[in-house]
Amino acid sequence: MRIALFITCVNDTLYPRTGRAVVRLLRRLGHEVVFPEAQTCCGQLHYNTGYRREAQKLAVRFVETFADADAVLAPSGSCAAMVRDNYPRLCAPGSRLDRAAAELAPRVHDLSELLVDVLGVTDVGAYFPHTVTYHPTCHGLRLLKLRDRPYRLLRNVRGIDLRELEGSAECCGFGGTFAMKNADVSAAMAADKARNVAATGAEVLCAVDNSCLMHIGGTLRRQRAGVATVHLAEILASTEQEPARL
Amino acid sequence: MSPDHSSPGAGHAAQDRAAGHATFLGMLPFPEAAERAVGDSQLRHNLRMATRTIRHKREEVVGELDDWSALRAAGKAVKDRTLRHLDTYLERLEAAVTAAGGRVHWAADAAEANEIVTGLVRATGETDVVKVKSMATQEIELNEALAQAGIIAYETDLAELIVQLSDDLPSHILVPAIHRNRAEIREIFRDRMAAWGVAAPEGLGDDPRALAEAARVHLRERFLRSRVAISGANFAVADTGTMVVLESEGNGRMCLTLPQTLISVVGIEKVVPTWSDLEVFLQLLPRSSTGERMNPYTSTWTGVAPGDGPQEFHLVLLDNGRSDVLADEVGRQALRCIRCSACLNICPVYERTGGHAYGSVYPGPIGAILTPQLRGTASAQEASLPYASSLCGACYEVCPVAIDIPEVLVHLREEVAASPGHRAEKAAMGAAGWVLGGERRLGAAQRAASAARSVVPRRMPGPASAWTDTRDIPEIPEESFRAWWRREGAAEPAPGADPAEPGRSGGDEEGGRR
């Protein structure tokens, strides 16, 4: 299958290794990856902060860039949710953008959706000999409703020791500009999340959203907790021949 | 001078207390208030224990019902239909209440409502009133208005009593003293009860039973003495003119049945058309609020019944900003709220800050969308509330009437962002919009970031310190994804080659351009 990668601005700028892992994984599974270079950002930052006009412009760009794609992969749960859940709120009902966005939305997927629902695979032949716990980010949980998809993928990874995370459904406290505007509450939430992560004994925290991982991981690193944070794609891309480096 | 109290000088002390009642006026913006709250270890512990307990109880009893989502949809639909024809149902309610021997008063705002109630109490000649727990009267600060007129309002809900005795503010819709633990409550009873009536018994311990018994004895004397009661209502049935109050303690029922005069202050959005509409909410509310299948006391009254209960009944219908909320197509869903508190109990922000940080009788997620709508967003305090959320969506998920709180929060953020001020943020958002407005600009910004990667400090000055005070920043990569893609990612790998291998660093980034 030909898959258009929407890398997302955060991954593009700060986590290219997640993008490279996605490319490697999908090619290994026999699919073609294209990267439309006109892409930039879904507009979530502006939308969530109350800057609707700027968000609309970015939505137009996204829809135009990906209009012809058979399937769009956004390796960030909240960006996929932005397109599917919030674009309808952003567009004037019945407008051209509204119709185009609605037409495109069902073809926009998070990584676990793409693999499980579209490509029909739960065992991607990965090898990751580490103790891992999974944080099901808020937008993955409540907007995309990923349910057990990421767990099904992780359970099939060879060598993995998957640990359950206490209070997993609770927000980590990132929330985009929330982390800056309400830094104290955000830090208090991260402290509790970090405590729960540490309690699992895992050496790796995994999620489908690098923004949340940037926040939890930044907290863990500040504490010198010795827990690495990796995107689901990096675990799934890891093989015995080419194991992921932490 | 108020009637004699069981302890000497109690009348004066109570009046002083009532006059000096704490108020939500002039509160700090949310981030500053929250900074204080998250540093309070006792508060954090009390809230963690309490919210988790109620949250789990709710989850259990909601999980028992197979048709919960249908009930939730029905609750939403009934409220939406009622709000669409609010004028019709309010006039129907007025007619039914009047026909049943009650009197209906219309109050456009808090001042008008307070004036009406004060006048009604004055007309009875009484200077003491007992109160049923009510959010509407808290909202209009009725107790303070009554105190100015020399009338003392005695709260009779256990948690409201704790708040009143300690000259505190409520911090939760359902459990106003949720921020207190039983050791603190024991001290409050021991030190303050005597000034308000019957004193706490000697040697009072912190066993919940003993605390409840002390409150019972204290309140019982008050119930038997009072001739005027003030309440709110959870629902008002338009068809029959019936008021409905749900409660756990029975103290509300004492107030609703014993006095001669009953005055109910009810928000106009509390009306439901019929008893069969009410049935939906009698299932939704207890499970969502206290986590019970059914609440212990459900009191209903329709006008007056000769020889039974209060012989004079007044209904004060309160607008106080609700019509403005109704006019907002996105924001109006907040008027569906049935004040269950499920959103407070599930909210990770509320759990860490408690209710006082929200600077309103309506704290938590619902407060963050209701307060700015009722009071406007002109002041820094109200303007900060729509941002008091990480938009995690847990509140929407548990809301029994499906209020999409994150949607309204974003809508209100748009209102705040469009208002004057916030120049630094507007500049930053404008700059981000410009960079993201074109792939070349984004690429250039990424190259600049990568070039500076080795000199980025671990702790940043200025606004960025909000991040780096508690979190490390991620390491900036040598090249962005798009730079890597242009250089070598786009090329299909030869069999066995690994496209994920970063390989040579510092390659010509435009080299792979095709």
Side-chain angles (χ1 to χ4, degrees):
Chain A
M1 188 171 191
R2 193 162 200 255
I3 296 149
L5 175 61
F6 173 53
I7 186 68
T8 80
C9 61
V10 168
N11 285 332
D12 186 6
T13 308
L14 295 172
Y15 299 96
R17 62 180 209 182
T18 295
R20 293 199 298 263
V22 163
V23 172
R24 179 178 165 197
L25 169 67
L26 292 177
R27 283 180 180 161
R28 188 175 79 217
L29 296 174
H31 302 286
E32 184 190 350
V33 181
V34 294
F35 179 76
E37 294 208 21
Q39 63 177 282
T40 56
C41 167
C42 65
Q44 189 185 182
L45 170 79
H46 288 98
Y47 174 76
N48 283 351
T49 316
Y51 292 78
R52 168 176 284 258
R53 275 230 316 274
E54 286 82 351
Q56 271 168 347
K57 283 187 210 161
L58 292 167
V60 168
R61 171 175 280 269
F62 178 88
V63 170
E64 281 173 357
T65 305
F66 289 98
D68 296 331
D70 298 330
V72 181
L73 166 62
S76 158
S78 63
C79 302
M82 174 68 194
V83 175
R84 294 209 318 234
D85 263 66
N86 292 332
Y87 276 13
R89 299 180 223 266
L90 206 51
C91 314
S95 64
R96 236 180 65 202
L97 176 62
D98 185 37
R99 287 199 307 274
E103 200 267 323
L104 175 60
R107 285 178 281 134
V108 177
H109 312 282
D110 145 82
L111 178 63
S112 66
E113 292 172 322
L114 179 81
L115 292 170
V116 176
D117 302 345
V118 181
L119 305 179
V121 54
T122 53
D123 184 350
V124 298
Y127 167 76
F128 193 74
H130 301 282
T131 308
V132 176
T133 193
Y134 176 76
H135 168 58
T137 61
C138 299
H139 292 178
L141 194 68
R142 300 192 185 90
L143 295 182
L144 298 180
K145 301 193 186 336
L146 298 180
R147 299 203 171 85
D148 67 343
R149 289 178 185 85
Y151 295 100
R152 286 164 70 191
L153 291 159
L154 285 168
R155 275 187 217 115
N156 283 319
V157 172
R158 250 68 81 197
I160 200 168
D161 177 3
L162 203 54
R163 301 279 173 90
E164 199 170 320
L165 178 63
E166 173 79 23
S168 63
E170 201 170 287
C171 178
C172 69
F174 174 62
T177 41
F178 174 78
M180 308 287 285
K181 282 177 173 279
N182 279 288
D184 292 287
V185 186
S186 172
M189 289 162 72
D192 290 342
K193 183 61 75 181
R195 188 185 303 141
N196 286 331
V197 169
T200 65
E203 56 185 313
V204 173
L205 171 68
C206 164
V208 293
D209 216 313
N210 274 329
S211 314
C212 312
L213 288 178
M214 176 170 73
H215 170 70
I216 311 171
T219 302
L220 288 165
R221 273 196 305 283
R222 177 60 59 87
Q223 297 174 350
R224 310 296 185 264
V227 180
T229 49
V230 301
H231 191 282
L232 176 68
E234 292 164 59
I235 293 181
L236 299 182
S238 176
T239 58
E240 283 188 49
Q241 291 73 36
E242 296 288 342
R245 279 169 295 175
L246 291 179
Chain B
M1 181 68 202
S2 49
D4 52 284
H5 289 67
S6 53
S7 60
H12 272 311
Q15 197 146 4
D16 290 348
R17 286 261 62 84
H21 198 281
T23 153
F24 279 110
L25 285 174
M27 299 284 280
L28 289 170
F30 187 82
E32 283 101 278
E35 183 186 355
R36 237 186 252 172
V38 298
D40 184 338
S41 57
Q42 180 69 71
L43 176 69
R44 290 281 297 276
H45 179 77
N46 294 352
L47 288 167
R48 189 181 304 138
M49 302 303 284
T51 55
R52 279 172 195 219
T53 305
I54 315 182
R55 201 187 294 171
H56 292 141
K57 275 176 73 182
R58 178 212 161 265
E59 205 178 338
E60 261 179 45
V61 296
V62 165
E64 289 174 355
L65 296 186
D66 296 334
D67 63 346
W68 182 257
S69 60
L71 265 176
R72 183 175 185 249
K76 172 183 188 283
V78 170
K79 282 284 183 179
D80 279 347
R81 175 164 47 88
T82 311
L83 289 168
R84 265 202 307 278
H85 307 288
L86 192 57
D87 50 347
T88 307
Y89 291 117
L90 284 173
E91 284 178 3
R92 193 175 293 174
L93 176 71
E94 179 184 35
V97 169
T98 309
R103 261 194 68 198
V104 177
H105 311 257
W106 299 84
D109 55 23
E112 223 174 275
N114 286 331
E115 207 181 298
I116 293 167
V117 176
T118 306
L120 291 170
V121 177
R122 274 208 175 122
T124 66
E126 296 291 320
T127 51
D128 285 4
V129 298
V130 281
K131 278 189 70 200
V132 183
K133 184 179 172 347
S134 135
M135 295 308 297
T137 59
Q138 300 259 14
E139 176 189 322
I140 60 173
E141 306 201 314
L142 176 65
N143 291 7
E144 291 70 27
L146 289 173
Q148 280 182 4
I151 300 160
I152 307 173
Y154 292 89
E155 295 290 349
T156 66
D157 172 81
L158 177 54
E160 292 288 8
L161 174 68
I162 295 164
V163 169
Q164 187 172 46
L165 290 179
S166 53
D167 199 17
D168 201 351
L169 288 165
S171 71
H172 190 280
I173 291 173
L174 176 74
V175 201
I178 195 169
H179 56 292
R180 299 290 198 184
N181 62 32
R182 54 196 165 106
E184 293 172 298
I185 293 166
R186 172 185 162 270
E187 279 181 51
I188 292 166
F189 280 9
R190 189 193 61 191
D191 299 345
R192 314 295 279 271
M193 257 184 178
W196 285 83
V198 176
E202 283 294 315
L204 176 67
D206 64 6
D207 169 50
R209 256 174 194 284
L211 293 172
E213 180 60 19
R216 185 175 175 276
V217 171
H218 178 84
L219 289 169
R220 188 56 56 105
E221 187 257 359
R222 181 68 52 205
F223 292 135
L224 293 173
R225 164 205 300 276
S226 298
R227 297 179 56 80
V228 180
I230 297 174
S231 84
N234 293 101
F235 306 98
V237 184
D239 260 9
T240 55
T242 305
M243 301 296 124
V244 185
V245 161
L246 281 71
E247 50 144 354
S248 298
E249 297 165 0
N251 293 337
R253 177 161 301 171
M254 297 292 262
C255 299
L256 297 168
T257 50
L258 289 177
Q260 276 298 108
T261 303
L262 173 59
I263 304 163
S264 301
V265 181
V266 180
I268 52 174
E269 82 285 18
K270 295 290 160 213
V271 63
V272 293
T274 68
W275 279 75
S276 54
D277 295 318
L278 177 66
E279 172 256 358
V280 175
F281 299 105
L282 293 185
Q283 295 182 70
L284 287 171
L285 183 51
R287 285 179 200 259
S288 299
S289 59
T290 50
E292 292 168 304
R293 297 184 184 105
M294 191 179 173
N295 51 293
Y297 294 89
T298 301
S299 300
T300 67
W301 68 99
T302 308
V304 293
D308 183 13
Q311 294 302 296
E312 197 181 324
F313 171 59
H314 297 273
L315 170 61
V316 180
L317 286 169
L318 177 71
D319 187 316
N320 204 32
R322 287 161 175 77
S323 292
D324 297 334
V325 182
L326 190 58
D328 186 316
E329 282 179 32
V330 179
R332 68 170 60 138
Q333 53 187 311
L335 294 179
R336 292 204 293 260
C337 177
I338 56 174
R339 312 283 190 262
C340 72
S341 306
C343 64
L344 278 64
N345 300 330
I346 198 81
C347 178
V349 175
Y350 178 88
E351 186 192 317
R352 278 143 193 108
T353 65
H356 292 159
Y358 294 81
S360 159
V361 291
Y362 302 112
I366 186 65
I369 63 169
L370 205 49
T371 306
Q373 291 200 83
L374 290 173
R375 306 206 299 225
T377 52
S379 89
Q381 199 277 327
E382 282 94 16
S384 72
L385 291 174
Y387 301 92
S389 165
S390 64
L391 303 180
C392 82
C395 48
Y396 177 35
E397 204 170 53
V398 297
C399 177
V401 286
I403 302 169
D404 192 340
I405 294 176
E407 180 185 39
V408 182
L409 286 168
V410 169
H411 174 68
L412 292 169
R413 289 177 187 188
E414 286 167 4
E415 190 182 307
V416 173
S419 64
H422 321 283
R423 283 167 59 188
E425 180 184 288
K426 281 175 190 166
M429 285 292 157
W434 184 80
V435 169
L436 295 167
E439 71 273 23
R440 282 166 202 274
R441 293 196 284 259
L442 176 58
Q446 288 167 339
R447 284 193 295 278
S450 291
R453 61 192 292 265
S454 57
V455 296
V456 173
R458 184 187 287 273
R459 287 178 193 259
M460 309 249 242
S465 67
W467 181 276
T468 61
D469 277 353
T470 60
R471 292 156 286 215
D472 280 6
I473 49 171
E475 202 178 317
I476 298 170
E478 281 179 39
E479 62 179 353
S480 66
F481 177 83
R482 72 179 61 231
W484 171 81
W485 178 268
R486 281 188 167 191
R487 193 164 53 75
E488 62 178 63
E492 280 289 341
D498 181 14
E501 182 56 48
R504 317 168 302 275
S505 58
D508 174 14
E509 27 194 12
E510 302 300 321
R513 187 164 193 172
R514 285 133 54 99

